[in-house]
Amino acid sequence: MKVALGQVPPDTVIENGVLVDVATRRLVDGIYISISEERIASISREKPKTDSKTKIIDANGAYLAPGLVDAHYHIESSRLSPRRHAQITLPHGTTTLFEGSHEICNPLGLDGIRYLLEEAEGLPQKIFIGLSSATPPTPYETTGSYIGGKEAEEALRLRGVSGIDEVMDYTALFGGEERLHSVIEAGLSSGKVVEGHGVPSPPQADALFATGVSSTHFSGDSAKAIALLERGCFLELKPRDSRQAIHELVTTNIDWQMVGMCVDDRPAESINQLGHLDYELRICIEEGLDPITAIQIATLNNARHWRKEHEVGIVAPGRRADIIFLTDLESFKIDRVMADGEIVAEKGKLTVNIPIMPAPDYVLNTIRLQKHLTSKDFEVRSPNNQSKVKAAVLRPFYFSVDLLPITRELQVEDGLVQRDLSHEVNKVAIIRRDGGGLGISFWELGYQYGAIAMSVLHDSHNISVIGANDADMARAVNRVAEMGGGIVVVKSGIIKADVPLPIAGLMTDKPLSEVVAGLDKVNEEAAKLVPGKLLGPNPVDTQTFIFLTCFPWSIVLTDKGLVNVRTGQWLPPVW
Amino acid sequence: MKVALGQVPPDTVIENGVLVDVATRRLVDGIYISISEERIASISREKPKTDSKTKIIDANGAYLAPGLVDAHYHIESSRLSPRRHAQITLPHGTTTLFEGSHEICNPLGLDGIRYLLEEAEGLPQKIFIGLSSATPPTPYETTGSYIGGKEAEEALRLRGVSGIDEVMDYTALFGGEERLHSVIEAGLSSGKVVEGHGVPSPPQADALFATGVSSTHFSGDSAKAIALLERGCFLELKPRDSRQAIHELVTTNIDWQMVGMCVDDRPAESINQLGHLDYELRICIEEGLDPITAIQIATLNNARHWRKEHEVGIVAPGRRADIIFLTDLESFKIDRVMADGEIVAEKGKLTVNIPIMPAPDYVLNTIRLQKHLTSKDFEVRSPNNQSKVKAAVLRPFYFSVDLLPITRELQVEDGLVQRDLSHEVNKVAIIRRDGGGLGISFWELGYQYGAIAMSVLHDSHNISVIGANDADMARAVNRVAEMGGGIVVVKSGIIKADVPLPIAGLMTDKPLSEVVAGLDKVNEEAAKLVPGKLLGPNPVDTQTFIFLTCFPWSIVLTDKGLVNVRTGQWLPPVW
């Protein structure tokens, strides 16, 4: 305020730039931006009074846009700690993240929130937290923690907690589950935001927003987009999965104020290759959205949705001085990034020191198996004396409740049900982090050799293992436990590659190069195990995502066994 | 939720209407709107399953727009109690008000909030409250109550309190006054909205938003509008005072998402004549704004600004069933109004019973003068022995700090400074509600005869009196006190007209017809006193507004005397 009034000189002045005004959707030149500490003080036509300590930044005619704001994001999916993650995403212009916290909350509960807030303290990248609504994700899996209405009320009193994240268990939601509805009620009572999940069609789309949920992160076509917008949904586009929808929405000439943008999940190596929200924004521009509107939806619109437009999302007085310098709007080429009033990156490189703090004890050693597993733990006994049994042979992204298409016959030897590797029928197990449960079933999924285990398992983050033989499955899981979490590739009893993820079993604070090298090695060794076609081009990534229990999944495997999450019916793996 | 899912039949279905979709800015036909209790359950293309108790409303092809949402409003200015006020504004389509509460808070403090919330309970018109930041409005006047940071924190915990209203004492704000800044800080900490006031130019515009203030209610030209929008201000248009600006903003083709709309103040008789937010909306359309955008800014945009888009501002699942039925968009002709799922008005007439509750004791008898005033109380003694003195002869809407243009010579008789009625120089006094203070000065303002006193005095709501003779001034003030507040016209010692406003000295719960008759009589009698030209066409209304002490006022009269509110310097009325 005093800087704006000319009573105190600014710390920094940016001159010779063209402001991208996301409030009116105009370009404005001939302006000076005065900055005091980490906030913008004024946007003036007259040169501000400065003193010898004022730093003058010549924008060289660059466009000055607000720092990018991701409306829905999971840092944990990068495999990096928040501070390591900031080091690689700030150069892409992401100065604010609305973090969905269910990944870290499932093992750690509110300690996960505490860790995120501690990491975010003093970081030029703002991390606002949506409290997990999915701890546990569904009643059909066991997580280390529990967040109900009482825990939600406690967390929502924290200033860094901006709402409730990603209500995604439609069965519980529409079934009136007390835990989930009390979490939503806590969110609404606090005046904060309750985020949704999924792309439901009517009447579920209506029912979702009738519960007080406000948004979803969106992949789909334009008809679905419009159906959701019409129902008052704030639509967080995932542009990479919605190219056609964006193209059509541009043609339809809709108002974009209820549209935002998000990355959602992206592993470190993909951020390195593709970029971050800047990559998504470029896709919007490629699909015909004018660049200023694209910038609006990735900044102001997201900030308004999360009720933080007084803090971020616009280059205006009182807001954090988060500014990206663009040499060209159409190509969205980022020259420099300012966050909290400091230039933090130039030409894609971080230019400030973001110190890495030692991970606190309470986020480490979250995997405690009690005992070493052996191949015996992965045997599936036949329920009868026949030479063959029937089995539910699941596959990724199978959303039907119909068992018939996935029922197969499997051979029995010595009373044990066998894999059918010639048809890519493999074993999959999910092991509770405390060793207290192990669910096992057959999947049309996996490898001809070895096993891969990991403690990244959306969203319970128990341990999953896919294996062509039981001994390698045991070896891989034991190694994950030894590392305190991570990803392990085993072949013939030998650890071929591993990436430790000791922070909540999900993240590491090692430098990017080391993590990428580790993940590259994991992928390379995974390929040598000859993955089946249903694992897709990135089998290790696929493994993290295929055990979800939320909408639109139906028959799934959890640490408790095979279950139809839409009805609550438990199913035997073989019969 | 259950109604949306078809598990429970809706209470009401609206069919055969055209939805005005304010999210995408499109018209949508072929829809059914299902309502459960006071909320919308779904918007479906298929006819919902109903039962014999479901009420079917045929919209007869009408446009179905969200109920109007006023972003900045003072119910007290209508002179009606909230429930009486709802009776006359619901037929105009106003289903939600964001009430700025400083009028009632100045006499009553947080009891004023309590009264508003009690009145709003069960009322189909939603009243969300912005807590007064202006109690007292400035340190230069005395009000019955005090609201600082502690009181603000207490009030902000109430669910019906949506933020801090109208930060308007720029001197205190820019001077860093502890009380005002602690109130703002309480607002920001609570995650709620902090409203601004005034149309400042840079650098004050920058400084205003640098303090965390988010908005202003706007009258002015388009250059000022754009300067405020660029600075991240949510612009609450007062269209009646901004016709040219609207016209130009339409031409400039700005984005409208940061633009809202408000009525601000309107006495009951004007609501009766002109209308309410519907009147303002029509002005926007007349100035070339397309009707759907005009509806957006009067509904969704205002709701989003106040962070209540999950409650009001859009016809969508989960929101209150507040719907206006329009036979024509261009003329914005309201056929029916639904609020909380019930038709509350048809063709401009209220169709439901809104019961009037007896006013609670704590809002009554707020004027306690201690003693009857006499003409002696209004004498102004000359400070010297000259036959003439100099006097600051104020006039309405004098915003300069320069005394010279308002300095006049006045005659002294028997040591007492005299009016100069031939030049319309009259006496004005402001009397504290508890009788503990009386400020007096000369004004180029007033009447050739009699006196008019009232307890509506923005924003301290002490008692003002303007009089052509001291005895009538005393008589008028005494009568205001006897009534517990109101407006009184006196001539030659006789009460010519009075309107009791016993609720906080500002409002009445008498029926509109009675109030309008009373106000008409007051205006008629005021005209007979021969008002001066500076009182304008509505002298009684003018008197309520000319004693403000906020920006952009400078030299003003308060209960403590004459003061320059920009510097804090006290001035003698004569010298």
Side-chain angles (χ1 to χ4, degrees):
Chain A
M1 178 185 89
K2 287 185 176 175
V3 172
L5 293 170
Q7 295 166 356
V8 170
D11 295 324
T12 304
V13 172
I14 306 175
E15 58 182 31
N16 196 20
V18 179
L19 178 70
V20 180
D21 173 14
V22 291
T24 64
R25 205 162 51 205
R26 289 156 51 254
L27 297 175
V28 185
D29 58 13
I31 48 104
Y32 298 87
I33 300 174
S34 295
I35 293 162
S36 172
E37 296 181 1
E38 77 284 0
R39 291 186 188 264
I40 295 163
S42 67
I43 299 169
S44 53
R45 260 68 179 176
E46 284 168 36
K47 196 166 182 135
K49 275 182 266 174
T50 57
D51 71 4
S52 61
K53 280 176 283 178
T54 305
K55 191 170 157 185
I56 308 291
I57 296 178
D58 185 344
N60 297 319
Y63 298 98
L64 303 174
L68 303 181
V69 176
D70 192 310
H72 178 76
Y73 194 65
H74 304 282
I75 293 170
E76 301 94 316
S77 292
S78 74
R79 328 269 184 249
L80 300 179
S81 69
R83 290 182 154 254
R84 284 288 180 202
H85 176 266
Q87 291 177 343
I88 68 164
T89 52
L90 277 169
H92 290 285
T94 305
T95 52
T96 298
L97 297 169
F98 286 94
E99 154 74 16
S101 64
H102 59 228
E103 296 191 42
I104 197 165
C105 285
N106 278 335
L108 293 179
L110 298 191
D111 271 350
I113 303 297
R114 182 177 150 201
Y115 171 69
L116 292 172
L117 291 174
E118 283 172 3
E119 283 276 295
E121 182 72 31
L123 193 64
Q125 185 177 65
K126 270 62 66 184
I127 302 174
F128 294 104
I129 297 170
L131 179 70
S132 172
S133 68
T135 299
T138 62
Y140 310 113
E141 49 189 337
T142 315
T143 50
S145 296
Y146 175 90
I147 295 177
K150 195 171 68 67
E151 292 78 10
E153 279 173 27
E154 183 186 332
L156 285 159
R157 280 194 286 269
L158 301 169
R159 198 165 181 172
V161 176
S162 304
I164 299 294
D165 198 55
E166 201 168 353
V167 171
M168 59 182 181
D169 181 357
Y170 284 15
T171 308
L173 184 70
F174 299 145
E177 190 198 61
E178 197 278 333
R179 185 198 68 80
L180 185 54
H181 282 274
S182 68
V183 169
I184 293 171
E185 180 52 32
L188 294 174
S189 297
S190 73
K192 295 178 176 179
V193 178
V194 180
E195 291 285 288
H197 161 99
V199 183
S201 299
Q204 287 194 322
D206 295 277
L208 182 63
F209 304 111
T211 65
V213 161
S214 66
S215 66
T216 195
H217 34 288
F218 179 83
S219 312
D221 61 29
S222 65
K224 286 201 159 184
I226 284 178
L228 291 167
L229 286 166
E230 258 175 32
R231 285 164 176 79
C233 172
F234 184 76
L235 200 75
E236 297 157 357
L237 289 177
K238 300 208 270 185
R240 63 193 179 282
D241 299 330
S242 310
R243 281 184 176 269
Q244 185 64 18
I246 293 165
H247 192 83
E248 288 167 13
L249 292 173
V250 170
T251 313
T252 314
N253 195 23
I254 63 156
D255 189 12
W256 292 84
Q257 74 161 293
M258 291 290 280
V259 180
M261 203 189 291
C262 71
V263 171
D264 199 355
D265 299 278
R266 186 161 297 165
E269 68 274 25
S270 299
I271 297 170
N272 213 28
Q273 278 165 32
L274 303 176
H276 202 239
L277 203 56
D278 54 337
Y279 170 74
E280 305 295 328
L281 205 149
R282 277 182 213 112
I283 291 172
C284 292
I285 298 171
E286 281 168 31
E287 294 304 330
L289 191 61
D290 76 276
I292 306 182
T293 305
I295 293 170
Q296 260 187 330
I297 70 176
T299 58
L300 180 65
N301 292 13
N302 287 339
R304 294 193 75 200
H305 167 63
W306 276 100
R307 304 175 174 173
K308 292 291 176 196
E309 72 276 18
H310 57 297
E311 287 284 347
V312 295
I314 178 168
V315 177
R319 278 68 167 193
R320 298 296 189 106
D322 297 344
I323 301 172
I324 49 183
F325 294 58
L326 299 160
T327 46
D328 181 61
L329 282 183
E330 283 289 334
S331 63
F332 201 74
K333 204 167 150 32
I334 299 177
D335 185 51
R336 279 177 276 182
V337 178
M338 172 180 276
D340 281 5
E342 299 281 345
I343 297 290
V344 295
E346 286 194 51
K347 302 199 191 311
K349 301 286 175 209
L350 196 72
T351 55
V352 288
N353 179 38
I354 294 180
I356 302 306
M357 308 187 298
D361 283 349
Y362 66 87
V363 302
L364 300 173
N365 301 310
T366 59
I367 297 176
R368 302 185 186 95
L369 284 190
Q370 318 295 336
K371 68 168 182 94
H372 270 258
L373 299 182
T374 66
S375 53
K376 263 198 116 43
D377 291 307
F378 296 95
E379 289 175 351
V380 177
R381 297 228 145 246
S382 169
N384 52 45
N385 293 322
Q386 313 291 314
S387 64
K388 291 182 176 180
V389 292
K390 288 219 167 82
V393 179
L394 270 162
R395 49 184 187 242
F397 310 109
Y398 183 74
F399 299 140
S400 167
V401 293
D402 190 356
L403 267 180
L404 202 60
I406 60 167
T407 301
R408 301 274 189 92
E409 283 201 329
L410 295 178
Q411 298 288 336
V412 177
E413 287 174 21
D414 299 330
L416 302 177
V417 185
Q418 301 297 305
R419 294 171 178 81
D420 180 2
L421 291 180
S422 63
H423 293 97
E424 298 185 3
V425 175
N426 229 314
K427 269 190 205 164
V428 168
I430 291 175
I431 301 104
R432 253 167 69 177
R433 284 190 172 206
D434 63 2
L438 188 154
I440 191 161
S441 69
F442 290 91
W443 285 59
E444 185 181 356
L445 176 82
Y447 301 89
Q448 290 298 314
Y449 310 98
I452 298 187
M454 58 185 69
S455 57
V456 179
L457 174 78
H458 294 277
D459 287 302
S460 68
H461 298 298
N462 285 314
I463 301 164
S464 77
V465 58
I466 305 179
N469 69 79
D470 295 351
D472 282 353
M473 288 176 85
R475 181 80 183 94
V477 173
N478 290 333
R479 177 65 187 149
V480 168
E482 278 165 35
M483 298 192 303
I487 305 175
V488 175
V489 182
V490 170
K491 190 181 174 190
S492 309
I494 296 164
I495 309 293
K496 292 291 187 180
D498 57 18
V499 175
L501 299 171
I503 299 171
L506 297 171
M507 294 175 278
T508 171
D509 56 10
K510 290 284 181 291
L512 176 69
S513 55
E514 196 175 312
V515 180
V516 169
L519 290 168
D520 283 350
K521 176 83 171 152
V522 157
N523 286 321
E524 194 186 313
E525 293 297 332
K528 291 184 193 165
L529 304 187
V530 192
K533 60 183 184 301
L534 287 177
L535 272 165
N538 302 301
V540 174
D541 278 357
T542 303
Q543 187 170 339
T544 68
F545 273 107
I546 53 179
F547 303 112
L548 282 157
T549 61
C550 61
F551 178 85
W553 269 262
S554 53
I555 301 172
V556 296
L557 179 66
T558 79
D559 61 292
K560 296 178 175 181
L562 211 57
V563 62
N564 177 342
V565 290
R566 301 205 188 175
T567 61
Q569 189 191 1
W570 294 95
L571 306 167
V574 293
W575 61 94
Chain B
M1 179 185 87
K2 288 183 177 176
V3 172
L5 293 170
Q7 295 165 356
V8 172
D11 295 325
T12 304
V13 172
I14 306 175
E15 57 183 28
N16 196 20
V18 179
L19 178 69
V20 180
D21 173 14
V22 291
T24 63
R25 206 162 50 206
R26 289 155 51 254
L27 297 175
V28 185
D29 58 14
I31 48 104
Y32 298 86
I33 300 174
S34 294
I35 293 162
S36 172
E37 296 181 3
E38 77 283 2
R39 290 185 190 265
I40 295 163
S42 67
I43 300 168
S44 54
R45 259 70 180 175
E46 284 166 38
K47 197 164 181 137
K49 276 181 268 175
T50 56
D51 71 3
S52 62
K53 280 176 283 179
T54 304
K55 191 170 160 185
I56 308 291
I57 296 179
D58 185 343
N60 298 321
Y63 298 97
L64 304 174
L68 303 182
V69 177
D70 193 309
H72 178 77
Y73 193 66
H74 303 283
I75 294 169
E76 302 93 316
S77 292
S78 74
R79 327 271 183 249
L80 299 179
S81 70
R83 291 181 154 257
R84 282 289 179 201
H85 175 266
Q87 291 177 342
I88 68 163
T89 51
L90 277 170
H92 290 283
T94 305
T95 51
T96 298
L97 297 169
F98 287 94
E99 153 73 18
S101 63
H102 60 228
E103 297 191 42
I104 197 165
C105 284
N106 277 335
L108 293 180
L110 298 191
D111 271 350
I113 303 296
R114 183 177 149 201
Y115 171 69
L116 293 172
L117 291 174
E118 282 173 4
E119 283 276 294
E121 183 72 31
L123 192 64
Q125 186 176 66
K126 271 63 65 184
I127 302 175
F128 294 105
I129 296 170
L131 177 70
S132 171
S133 69
T135 300
T138 62
Y140 311 113
E141 49 190 336
T142 314
T143 51
S145 296
Y146 175 89
I147 294 177
K150 194 170 68 66
E151 292 79 10
E153 280 174 27
E154 182 186 333
L156 286 159
R157 280 195 285 270
L158 301 170
R159 199 165 182 172
V161 176
S162 303
I164 299 295
D165 199 58
E166 200 165 358
V167 170
M168 59 183 182
D169 181 357
Y170 283 15
T171 307
L173 183 70
F174 299 144
E177 189 198 63
E178 197 278 335
R179 184 199 68 80
L180 185 53
H181 282 273
S182 67
V183 169
I184 293 173
E185 179 53 32
L188 294 174
S189 297
S190 72
K192 294 178 176 178
V193 179
V194 180
E195 291 285 288
H197 161 98
V199 183
S201 299
Q204 288 193 323
D206 295 277
L208 182 63
F209 304 110
T211 65
V213 161
S214 67
S215 65
T216 195
H217 34 288
F218 180 83
S219 312
D221 61 30
S222 66
K224 284 202 161 182
I226 285 179
L228 291 167
L229 287 166
E230 257 175 32
R231 284 164 178 80
C233 172
F234 184 76
L235 200 76
E236 296 157 355
L237 289 176
K238 299 207 270 186
R240 64 195 178 280
D241 299 330
S242 310
R243 281 184 175 267
Q244 184 64 17
I246 293 164
H247 193 82
E248 288 167 11
L249 292 174
V250 170
T251 313
T252 313
N253 194 24
I254 62 156
D255 188 14
W256 293 83
Q257 74 161 292
M258 291 289 282
V259 180
M261 203 188 290
C262 70
V263 171
D264 199 354
D265 299 279
R266 186 162 298 166
E269 68 275 26
S270 299
I271 297 171
N272 213 28
Q273 278 166 29
L274 302 177
H276 202 240
L277 203 54
D278 55 336
Y279 170 73
E280 305 295 328
L281 206 149
R282 277 180 213 114
I283 291 172
C284 292
I285 297 171
E286 281 169 29
E287 294 303 332
L289 191 60
D290 75 277
I292 306 182
T293 305
I295 293 170
Q296 260 187 329
I297 70 176
T299 58
L300 180 64
N301 292 12
N302 287 340
R304 293 193 77 200
H305 168 64
W306 277 99
R307 303 174 175 174
K308 291 290 177 197
E309 71 276 18
H310 57 298
E311 286 284 347
V312 295
I314 178 167
V315 178
R319 277 69 167 192
R320 297 298 189 103
D322 297 343
I323 301 172
I324 48 183
F325 294 57
L326 300 161
T327 46
D328 181 61
L329 283 183
E330 282 289 333
S331 64
F332 202 75
K333 204 166 150 37
I334 299 176
D335 186 52
R336 278 177 278 182
V337 178
M338 171 180 276
D340 281 6
E342 299 281 345
I343 297 289
V344 295
E346 287 194 52
K347 303 199 191 309
K349 300 286 176 209
L350 196 72
T351 55
V352 289
N353 178 36
I354 293 178
I356 302 304
M357 308 186 300
D361 283 348
Y362 65 86
V363 302
L364 300 173
N365 302 311
T366 61
I367 297 175
R368 302 184 184 95
L369 284 190
Q370 319 293 338
K371 67 167 183 90
H372 270 256
L373 299 182
T374 67
S375 55
K376 260 198 119 44
D377 291 305
F378 296 93
E379 289 176 352
V380 177
R381 297 228 144 247
S382 168
N384 51 45
N385 293 323
Q386 314 292 314
S387 63
K388 291 182 176 178
V389 292
K390 287 216 165 83
V393 179
L394 269 162
R395 49 183 187 240
F397 310 109
Y398 184 74
F399 300 138
S400 167
V401 294
D402 190 355
L403 266 179
L404 203 59
I406 59 169
T407 302
R408 303 272 190 93
E409 281 201 330
L410 295 178
Q411 298 288 336
V412 178
E413 286 174 21
D414 300 329
L416 301 178
V417 185
Q418 300 297 306
R419 294 171 179 80
D420 179 3
L421 290 180
S422 63
H423 294 96
E424 298 184 5
V425 175
N426 229 314
K427 266 190 208 167
V428 168
I430 292 176
I431 301 105
R432 254 167 68 176
R433 283 189 173 208
D434 63 1
L438 187 153
I440 191 162
S441 69
F442 291 90
W443 285 59
E444 186 180 353
L445 176 81
Y447 301 88
Q448 290 298 314
Y449 311 98
I452 298 187
M454 58 185 68
S455 57
V456 179
L457 173 78
H458 294 279
D459 288 303
S460 68
H461 299 298
N462 285 315
I463 301 163
S464 77
V465 57
I466 306 179
N469 70 78
D470 296 351
D472 282 352
M473 287 175 86
R475 182 79 183 96
V477 173
N478 290 334
R479 177 66 185 148
V480 168
E482 276 166 35
M483 298 192 302
I487 305 174
V488 175
V489 182
V490 171
K491 189 178 174 190
S492 308
I494 296 164
I495 309 294
K496 292 291 186 178
D498 56 20
V499 175
L501 300 170
I503 300 172
L506 297 171
M507 294 175 279
T508 171
D509 56 10
K510 290 282 180 294
L512 176 70
S513 55
E514 195 175 313
V515 180
V516 169
L519 290 169
D520 284 350
K521 174 84 172 152
V522 156
N523 287 322
E524 193 188 312
E525 292 297 331
K528 291 185 193 163
L529 303 187
V530 191
K533 60 186 181 302
L534 288 177
L535 273 165
N538 302 300
V540 175
D541 278 357
T542 304
Q543 187 170 338
T544 68
F545 274 106
I546 53 178
F547 303 113
L548 283 157
T549 60
C550 59
F551 178 86
W553 268 261
S554 53
I555 300 172
V556 297
L557 179 66
T558 80
D559 60 290
K560 296 178 175 182
L562 210 56
V563 62
N564 177 342
V565 289
R566 302 206 187 175
T567 61
Q569 189 191 3
W570 293 95
L571 305 167
V574 293
W575 61 90

